[in-house]
């Protein structure tokens, strides 16, 4: 017996399926394919299979870029967590009527263009920038400090851009935390510090993991912050990919680096999913 | 009321973080009214930079491109994303998990990989970069976000009311227009606004798929900043900030009304 | 020559047409033709069979209840009639027409949903008018009919309210008005009173029953509440595990359950297991561990097979001495405990087989007994039913 034909299913889901296959999946497959080819002398693509691009990546020069990028992304994550956790905690424990407003004020800067936010820091930090001008004026220093175009500047820019992505999931998990559990812990004799380490932190771990994921991955790929705040000194993996595609015109090598970056990202997500699944399983027991 | 030490420290700490978040933006806005072009010394109030901005053809051109792309992206991505979210909510079928993965992967993979992969596709297909490629790219990265937002709204949606509508004689399309869509409208609008801001702010992906004649505003800012700091950028940034804030306030108002 | 021949044909055709029309028409008038027929309905989800070979005829103007525990397939059956689920096999006829190929929006049946399913973005008036509007009924008619429907459920003054400004009982009434305003051939009700509190529930039961009688519309009502089913229905169809256990009037179902499940699910029942020994008309003698008990058997009972004897607690009687009038159904038992339930008193005794047996009696004819005392349980033969195991 046949069911009456269901056109609705067809027209709700086929646009998205076709669109994402053609403009998302196909390009990724293309990049994967190109990563196994090589560059010809005109900057085009030589259609022969080779693993050279991946082998080439194991040059210490490129490995170091990957290492530095991961380091920077890691530091960004750590700083976001260190700044964001107490802050999210304070907001989540503030009187309920202020909470939404306080949260809104965190989100507002994040609605503005990330380039503009980066640019704002340049105005502050550059040699003839606001901070130097003020310090010189007051007389604390007698010649301008060099604050821009180094790794610290890039780190500040990244932390500033990514901070809300850390605060929001943290807030969500801390706010959900049952206050009675903290009271129970202190009732059972735990001092505030013990309560924090033994109750609060484990229960807000999902928020920490989500925040880490949301900060770490984009921090690896944001090429314009190192570009603008790190000058030519800071080359990170994002910049490397960009340069291979636009400056060096070595698409196969650029594709290979992209695939490596994506593999790294997916590995990171897989670990995240595994941890949160294990945790969910444990919670069920 | 006296505040305990912990509370006082909390207020102090939170103020510091807010300062960190707002200081750069405030300085930026402030200096868009500064007469001096070269350094950070305050030399007097002026609106000259705004006037100059509106006489800068390349910036106006970029603004036009950005707005065109954002509006069309919003319409396209909201339509595709809403339909898809409704379909995913309603139906169970083989390959659903695969489709879900396909749709949500763009949210988690690095933007730069999406950017270069689309560049690779367009160049293989010999499509010249321009407004069309920008649109294709923007709709692609926006659809997943629309789906997430509409899906969240659908989570509280009572499936029975769609059945009730059909039971009362409404055909599937009428049911969708008269019952489903009005109920999930806040989610759809939120998704549309999110798409608009994502599209108008995008740097990384646009960087790879925009053509020489289709520079968007963020890309224009990027090249201006690379050439050096000018108060014109401050003025432009201030205006963009204001525009984003207005959209957000509008969205907020809409949600308040809903309640 | 041709013309009269044709004329004759025409008359003959008309006559046969009239004959068919009259017979069909009169049958319909007498409501001999069932309004809804379920034929060997099966619904499977993967390897799980939710509805298993259900056949049922529901008469025009009847109040039929599908009763059973949750997961028994009653709601799925209802949803198949409404058109939200498609049976794996079988057929459904509505007023003589097969309707499986008809989508829900073209079936002339309407549903009152368990959680009401009112459209949250529409006023009460717009909710009730929805069905008429999508059928493009004239505006003036809509106003008239919606007004009448709201009057019928006493909600005229609430027409402008939104669903979230209504109480549970009011929402319930809107849902009923919204369905009935379309003049459906059958009204399907899916646990419509489940979300109401006890008092409101009783009141709505009475209101619904009156409404159904007044309008003469066929109601198919789904519930898991046996008391509700007994008070409201013309007939009850008891379902369990996807299978139709028994169909009958409330009295039939209560007095003469056909299966152990029905006996236990509806009201309280004492079940004594034994082996069928001999048959005398509808009376069957059952050997229950040495004691011979007699009971009525409605369906087939094979002699020598395992059977159950079902006795309602309020039909049994306790006495200190064997009762000669009891017709040989006296069994010895041992007093265990007594519970006061207010209007009646429940005494638990232990039979010699070790099984416990409940007796419910009125407080004024109570015998004195304490724990361990020897008593005799008896009942009239017509109050015991013999069931297949």
């Amino acid at each position: 017996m046949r069911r009456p034909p269901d056109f609705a299913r067809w027209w709700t889901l086929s646009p998205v399926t076709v669109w994402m296959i053609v403009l998302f999946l196909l390009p990724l497959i293309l990049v994967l394919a190109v990563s196994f080819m090589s560059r010809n002398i005109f900057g085009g693509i030589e259609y022969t299979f080779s693993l050279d691009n991946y082998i080439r990546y194991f040059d210490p020069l490129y490995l170091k870029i990957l290492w530095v990028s991961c380091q920077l992304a890691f530091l960004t994550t750590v700083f976001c967590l260190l700044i964001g956790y107490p802050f999210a905690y304070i907001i989540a424990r503030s009187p309920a009527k202020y909470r939404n407003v306080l949260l809104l004020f965190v989100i507002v800067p994040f609605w503005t263009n990330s380039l503009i936010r980066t640019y704002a820091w340049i105005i502050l930090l550059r040699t003839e920038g606001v901070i130097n001008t003020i310090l010189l004026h007051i007389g604390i220093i007698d010649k301008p400090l060099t604050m821009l175009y180094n790794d610290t500047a890039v780190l500040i820019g990244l932390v500033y851009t990514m901070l809300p992505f850390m605060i929001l999931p943290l807030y969500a998990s801390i706010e959900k935390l049952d206050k009675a559990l903290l009271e129970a812990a202190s009732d059972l004799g735990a001092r505030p510090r013990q309560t924090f380490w033994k109750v609060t932190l484990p229960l807000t771990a999902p928020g920490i993991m989500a925040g880490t994921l949301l900060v770490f991955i984009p921090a690896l790929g944001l090429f314009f912050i190192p570009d603008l705040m790190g000058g030519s000194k800071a080359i990170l993996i994002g910049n490397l990919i960009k340069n291979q595609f636009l400056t060096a015109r070595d698409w196969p090598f650029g594709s290979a680096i992209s695939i490596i970056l994506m593999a790294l990202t997916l590995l990171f997500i897989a670990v995240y999913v595994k941890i949160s699944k294990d945790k969910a399983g444990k919670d069920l027991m | 009321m006296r505040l305990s030490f912990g509370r006082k420290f909390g207020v102090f700490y939170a103020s510091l973080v807010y300062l960190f978040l707002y200081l750069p933006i405030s300085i930026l806005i402030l200096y868009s009214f500064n007469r001096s072009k070269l350094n950070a010394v305050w030399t007097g109030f002026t609106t000259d930079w705004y006037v100059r901005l509106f006489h800068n053809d390349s910036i106006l051109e970029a603004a036009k491109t950005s707005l065109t792309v954002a509006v069309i992206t919003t319409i396209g991505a909201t339509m595709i994303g809403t339909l898809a979210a409704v379909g995913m909510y309603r139906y169970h079928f083989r390959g659903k998990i695969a489709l879900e993965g396909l749709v949500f992967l763009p949210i988690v993979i690095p933007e730069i990989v999406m950017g270069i992969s689309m560049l690779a596709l367009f160049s293989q297909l010999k499509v010249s970069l321009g407004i069309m490629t920008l649109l294709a790219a923007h709709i692609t990265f926006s659809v997943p976000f629309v789906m997430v937002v509409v899906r969240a709204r659908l989570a509280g949606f009572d499936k029975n009311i769609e059945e009730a509508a059909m039971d009362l004689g409404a055909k599937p399309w009428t049911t969708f227009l008269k019952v489903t869509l009005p109920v999930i409208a806040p989610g759809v609008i939120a998704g549309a606004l999110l798409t608009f801001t994502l599209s108008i702010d995008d740097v990384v992906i646009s960087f790879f798929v925009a053509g020489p004649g289709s520079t968007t505003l963020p890309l224009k800012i990027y090249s201006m900043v690379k050439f050096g700091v000018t108060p014109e950028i401050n003025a432009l940034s201030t205006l963009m900030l204001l525009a984003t804030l207005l959209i957000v306030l509008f969205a907020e108002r809409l949600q308040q009304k809903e309640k | 020559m041709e013309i009269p021949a044709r004329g004759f044909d025409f008359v003959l055709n008309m006559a046969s047409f009239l004959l068919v029309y009259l017979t069909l028409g009169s049958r319909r008038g007498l409501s001999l033709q069932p309004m809804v027929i379920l034929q060997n309905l099966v619904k499977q989800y993967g390897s799980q069979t939710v509805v298993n070979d259900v056949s049922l005829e529901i008469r025009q103007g009847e109040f039929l209840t599908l009763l059973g525990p949750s997961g028994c397939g009653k709601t799925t059956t209802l949803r198949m009639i409404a058109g939200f689920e498609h049976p794996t096999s079988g057929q459904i006829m509505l007023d003589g027409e097969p309707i499986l190929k008809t989508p829900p929006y073209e079936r002339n049946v309407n549903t009152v949903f368990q959680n009401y399913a009112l459209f949250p973005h529409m006023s009460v008036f717009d909710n009730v008018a929805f069905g008429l509007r999508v059928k493009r009924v004239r505006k003036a008619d809509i106003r008239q009919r919606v007004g009448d429907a709201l009057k019928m459920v006493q909600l005229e003054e609430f027409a402008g309210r939104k669903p979230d400004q209504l109480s549970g009982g009011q929402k319930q009434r809107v849902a009923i008005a919204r369905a009935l305003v379309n003049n459906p051939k059958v009204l399907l009700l899916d646990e419509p009173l489940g979300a109401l509190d006890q008092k409101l529930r009783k009141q709505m039961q009475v209101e619904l029953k009156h409404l159904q009688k007044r309008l003469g519309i066929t109601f198919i009502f789904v519930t898991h509440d046996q008391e509700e089913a007994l008070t409201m229905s013309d007939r009850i169809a008891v379902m369990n595990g996807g299978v139709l256990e028994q169909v009958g009037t409330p009295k039939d179902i209560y007095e003469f359950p056909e299966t152990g499940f029905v006996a236990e699910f509806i009201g309280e029942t004492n079940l004594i297991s034994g082996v069928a020994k001999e048959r005398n008309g509808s009376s069957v003698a059952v050997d229950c561990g040495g004691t011979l008990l007699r009971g009525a058997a409605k369906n087939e009972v094979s002699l020598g097979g395992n059977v159950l004897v079902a006795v309602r607690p309020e039909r049994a009687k306790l006495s200190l001495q064997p009762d000669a009038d009891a017709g040989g159904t006296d069994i010895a038992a041992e007093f265990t405990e007594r519970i006061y339930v207010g209007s009646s008193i429940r005494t638990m005794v232990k039979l010699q087989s070790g099984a416990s047996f409940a007796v419910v009696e009125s407080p004024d004819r109570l015998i004195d007994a304490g724990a361990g005392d020897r008593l005799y349980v008896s009942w009239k033969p017509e109050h015991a039913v013999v069931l297949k195991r």
Side-chain angles (χ1 to χ4, degrees):
Chain A
M1 197 167 301
R2 298 256 77 189
R3 187 180 262 285
D6 194 348
F7 297 110
R9 182 191 299 232
W10 194 85
W11 59 251
T12 52
L13 291 168
S14 47
V16 77
T17 313
V18 172
W19 189 283
M20 295 316 275
I21 285 178
V22 173
L23 283 155
F24 177 69
L25 195 60
L26 204 62
L28 282 186
I29 293 169
L30 191 64
V31 168
L32 185 67
V34 169
S35 75
F36 290 110
M37 294 167 186
S38 49
R39 170 186 187 268
N40 66 21
I41 43 170
F42 311 109
I45 298 162
E46 191 84 54
Y47 295 93
T48 46
F49 177 85
S50 86
L51 286 170
D52 289 354
N53 298 310
Y54 291 95
I55 296 166
R56 193 173 146 203
Y57 194 80
F58 284 90
D59 184 299
L61 175 70
Y62 298 125
L63 283 181
K64 194 180 169 225
I65 291 177
L66 180 66
W67 171 240
V68 171
S69 303
C70 285
Q71 241 180 346
L72 205 57
F74 177 74
L75 281 176
T76 306
T77 313
V78 169
F79 274 105
C80 283
L81 188 60
L82 287 180
I83 300 172
Y85 198 99
F87 182 73
Y89 193 89
I90 291 165
I91 298 187
R93 289 280 167 266
S94 64
K97 56 180 172 176
Y98 300 134
R99 251 179 254 164
N100 279 338
V101 181
L102 289 174
L103 205 61
L104 189 71
F105 278 112
V106 176
I107 305 172
V108 166
F110 137 86
W111 272 321
T112 65
N113 193 308
S114 46
L115 251 180
I116 292 177
R117 280 180 280 158
T118 312
Y119 172 66
W121 275 102
I122 296 177
I123 295 182
L124 278 172
L125 295 180
R126 69 198 177 110
T127 319
E128 55 285 1
V130 177
I131 294 177
N132 271 326
T133 307
I134 293 172
L135 293 180
L136 280 171
H137 203 76
I138 303 171
I140 295 179
I141 52 172
D142 45 16
K143 78 179 187 256
L145 299 170
T146 316
M147 289 176 286
L148 209 53
Y149 307 126
N150 54 36
D151 284 352
T152 316
V154 177
L155 188 61
I156 291 176
L158 284 172
V159 170
Y160 184 67
T161 308
M162 304 312 300
L163 188 58
F165 290 97
M166 180 62 89
I167 292 176
L168 293 180
L170 283 177
Y171 169 82
S173 67
I174 297 171
E175 208 250 335
K176 259 197 316 208
L177 190 69
D178 189 354
K179 223 177 170 178
L181 291 174
L182 305 183
E183 286 165 0
S186 86
D187 181 68
L188 295 168
R191 267 163 290 171
R193 183 181 302 217
Q194 289 169 310
T195 306
F196 178 78
W197 286 107
K198 297 212 180 268
V199 180
T200 314
L201 207 58
L203 285 175
T204 53
I208 296 174
M209 286 197 290
T212 304
L213 199 69
L214 286 176
V215 171
F216 188 84
I217 293 173
L220 276 177
L222 281 179
F223 64 80
F224 59 87
I225 293 178
D227 235 22
L228 296 176
M229 296 182 81
S232 53
K233 276 180 240 161
I235 286 208
L236 300 180
I237 191 159
N239 306 67
L240 189 61
I241 295 174
K242 189 198 104 186
N243 291 343
Q244 293 308 317
F245 270 81
L246 299 182
T247 322
R249 289 205 64 82
D250 189 345
W251 287 27
F253 187 47
S255 299
I257 308 170
S258 304
I259 295 295
I260 291 170
L261 176 62
M262 207 172 79
L264 213 69
T265 310
L266 291 181
L267 184 79
F268 196 66
I269 293 167
V271 170
Y272 166 77
V273 169
K274 177 96 175 68
I275 292 175
S276 46
K277 257 200 190 139
D278 284 356
K279 211 179 142 23
K282 255 185 217 158
D283 286 352
L284 277 178
M285 291 193 283
Chain B
M1 193 181 79
R2 278 191 56 202
L3 294 173
S4 67
F5 172 75
R7 269 253 171 273
K8 270 186 199 156
F9 177 77
V11 170
F12 174 71
Y13 185 87
S15 311
L16 268 185
V17 174
Y18 281 121
L19 188 71
F20 175 66
L21 287 175
Y22 279 88
L23 186 69
I25 297 176
S26 322
I27 295 283
L28 183 108
I29 296 171
L30 186 69
Y31 277 76
S32 73
F33 296 106
N34 186 9
R35 199 179 295 269
S36 164
K37 186 183 168 77
L38 287 172
N39 53 39
V41 182
W42 183 264
T43 53
F45 181 86
T46 180
T47 51
D48 272 3
W49 306 116
Y50 290 87
V51 177
R52 298 247 315 243
L53 197 62
F54 283 102
H55 288 100
N56 187 330
D57 285 342
S58 65
I59 288 182
L60 291 181
E61 192 59 36
K64 206 179 115 196
T65 307
S66 266
L67 274 178
T68 313
V69 170
V71 167
I72 301 176
T73 298
T74 303
I75 295 169
T78 307
M79 271 170 35
I80 298 175
T82 303
L83 283 179
V86 170
M88 290 285 234
Y89 172 79
R90 257 196 219 163
Y91 306 112
H92 298 275
F93 50 92
R94 230 179 302 151
K96 185 172 180 174
I97 293 181
L99 184 58
E100 236 163 77
L102 179 66
V103 165
F104 294 112
L105 206 56
I107 295 181
V108 288
I109 74 163
E111 273 184 289
I112 189 165
V113 176
M114 256 180 101
I116 58 114
S117 69
M118 270 188 264
L119 173 63
L121 178 80
F122 294 141
S123 87
Q124 281 299 304
L125 296 177
K126 306 265 184 302
V127 180
S128 56
L129 300 180
I131 292 256
M132 291 315 279
T133 52
L134 268 175
L135 279 175
H138 281 213
I139 292 177
T140 308
F141 72 69
S142 302
V143 163
F145 287 96
V146 175
M147 282 186 72
V148 169
V149 175
V150 175
R151 195 178 227 214
R153 178 78 195 180
L154 277 168
F157 182 80
D158 177 8
K159 240 179 196 169
N160 278 335
I161 70 168
E162 278 188 341
E163 288 183 346
M166 295 225 234
D167 187 73
L168 294 167
K171 294 194 175 67
W173 180 239
T174 318
T175 302
F176 181 74
L177 279 187
K178 289 200 159 178
V179 175
T180 317
L181 204 55
V183 174
I184 64 170
V188 175
I189 293 170
L193 289 170
L194 182 64
T195 302
F196 189 85
T197 48
L198 282 175
S199 166
I200 217 149
D201 281 352
D202 179 68
V203 184
V204 176
I205 293 174
S206 304
F207 188 84
F208 292 99
V209 297
S214 61
T215 306
T216 63
L217 215 41
L219 292 181
K220 182 74 196 163
I221 297 175
Y222 186 61
S223 67
M224 285 166 82
V225 174
K226 286 216 91 169
F227 276 111
V229 175
T230 75
E232 257 173 302
I233 308 175
N234 293 29
L236 180 59
S237 306
T238 306
L239 288 179
M240 284 183 70
L241 228 149
L242 204 68
T244 322
L245 267 182
L246 281 178
I247 295 172
V248 168
L249 281 179
F250 174 70
E252 221 28 49
R253 190 39 99 63
L254 223 65
Q255 277 191 326
Q256 290 292 320
K257 231 184 188 174
E258 179 64 22
K259 279 171 194 164
Chain C
M1 287 305 275
E2 259 183 10
I3 294 161
R6 274 205 170 171
F8 182 68
D9 263 349
F10 177 69
V11 170
L12 203 69
N13 277 341
M14 276 309 288
S16 52
F17 177 70
L18 259 174
L19 205 68
V20 171
Y21 180 77
L22 283 175
T23 34
L24 281 181
S26 65
R27 279 178 73 189
R28 188 170 299 181
L30 286 167
S31 69
L32 282 175
Q33 165 158 329
M35 181 51 96
V36 178
I37 304 176
L38 311 181
Q39 286 168 351
N40 308 97
L41 219 48
V42 175
K43 176 69 186 178
Q44 290 170 327
Y45 293 110
S47 62
Q48 200 188 355
T49 306
V50 186
V51 173
N52 193 357
D53 198 23
V54 166
S55 296
L56 181 62
E57 295 192 349
I58 300 153
R59 291 187 285 266
Q60 149 73 39
E62 186 174 27
F63 193 123
L64 181 115
T65 298
L66 292 171
L67 173 68
S70 60
C72 71
K74 57 191 190 303
T75 296
T76 307
T77 305
L78 195 78
R79 288 170 59 82
M80 286 193 281
I81 301 172
F84 304 134
E85 307 277 352
H86 204 77
T88 311
S89 67
Q91 180 61 273
I92 301 175
M93 314 275 282
L94 175 68
D95 203 10
E97 306 276 343
I99 54 165
L100 282 188
K101 292 225 164 79
T102 316
Y105 47 89
E106 281 167 17
R107 294 190 188 186
N108 198 359
V109 297
N110 287 116
T111 309
V112 176
F113 289 83
Q114 184 167 14
N115 55 0
Y116 321 125
L118 299 182
F119 306 126
H121 58 299
M122 295 182 193
S123 67
V124 167
F125 185 93
D126 291 338
N127 259 286
V128 178
F130 186 90
L132 301 175
R133 282 192 181 138
V134 296
K135 281 178 216 108
R136 306 195 185 283
V137 173
R138 278 176 41 225
K139 269 214 169 106
D141 290 348
I142 291 179
R143 207 170 307 132
Q144 176 70 33
R145 283 169 69 178
V146 173
D148 290 348
L150 287 178
K151 196 178 283 174
M152 174 180 76
V153 294
Q154 297 148 24
L155 282 176
E156 304 103 300
E157 285 123 59
F158 295 85
R161 292 221 190 157
K162 286 275 179 77
D164 57 7
Q165 296 169 309
L166 300 176
S167 69
Q170 288 165 338
K171 281 185 198 165
Q172 177 63 69
R173 290 200 178 99
V174 176
I176 292 167
R178 184 177 73 174
L180 284 177
V181 77
N182 303 289
N183 293 328
K185 285 181 174 162
V186 178
L187 187 71
L188 308 172
L189 303 102
D190 184 8
E191 303 245 8
L193 309 179
L196 304 180
D197 65 54
Q198 191 61 27
K199 203 176 154 203
L200 201 57
R201 203 181 160 111
K202 295 258 181 216
Q203 186 193 330
M204 285 302 292
Q205 284 175 7
V206 176
E207 274 182 40
L208 259 182
K209 181 70 196 168
H210 282 181
L211 200 64
Q212 191 262 342
K213 268 198 180 146
R214 207 170 76 218
L215 298 171
I217 291 178
T218 311
F219 274 35
I220 304 180
F221 187 95
V222 160
T223 184
H224 64 269
D225 182 333
Q226 43 109 358
E227 204 185 311
E228 195 164 278
L230 289 174
T231 42
M232 296 175 79
S233 325
D234 294 327
R235 279 195 309 155
I236 298 173
V238 186
M239 288 184 77
N240 181 35
V243 177
L244 201 56
E245 294 264 338
Q246 185 177 357
V247 186
T249 62
K251 188 170 189 305
D252 274 346
I253 297 270
Y254 189 81
E255 302 277 348
F256 306 106
E258 285 172 12
T259 66
F261 174 80
V262 175
E264 280 201 303
F265 189 71
I266 295 166
E268 199 194 352
T269 257
N270 295 297
L271 292 175
I272 307 163
S273 52
V275 179
K277 277 287 167 216
E278 55 177 80
R279 191 176 186 120
N280 189 358
S282 71
S283 164
V284 174
V286 180
D287 178 8
C288 299
T291 325
L292 209 61
L293 301 177
R294 291 199 157 272
K298 271 208 152 180
N299 48 3
E300 264 175 58
V301 169
S302 52
L303 296 181
N306 285 330
V307 292
L308 293 168
V309 179
V311 183
R312 297 281 180 198
E314 69 273 15
R315 298 294 194 191
K317 207 171 76 180
L318 289 174
S319 49
L320 290 166
Q321 297 299 321
D323 188 352
D325 315 333
T329 58
D330 266 303
I331 14 176
E334 189 182 289
F335 182 96
T336 46
E337 65 173 329
R338 184 165 269 174
I339 300 154
Y340 292 82
V341 208
S343 58
S344 61
I345 285 172
R346 223 175 119 84
T347 309
M348 299 300 299
V349 296
K350 202 162 86 184
L351 303 184
Q352 276 166 334
S353 63
S356 63
F357 192 102
V359 180
V360 173
E361 295 170 297
S362 80
D364 49 287
R365 48 173 299 257
L366 212 58
I367 54 161
D368 246 352
D373 285 357
R374 164 152 289 235
L375 297 171
Y376 293 88
V377 187
S378 62
W379 57 82
K380 291 183 180 155
E382 65 263 34
H383 288 146
V385 180
V386 179
L387 308 167
K388 261 195 295 196
R389 277 207 85 150

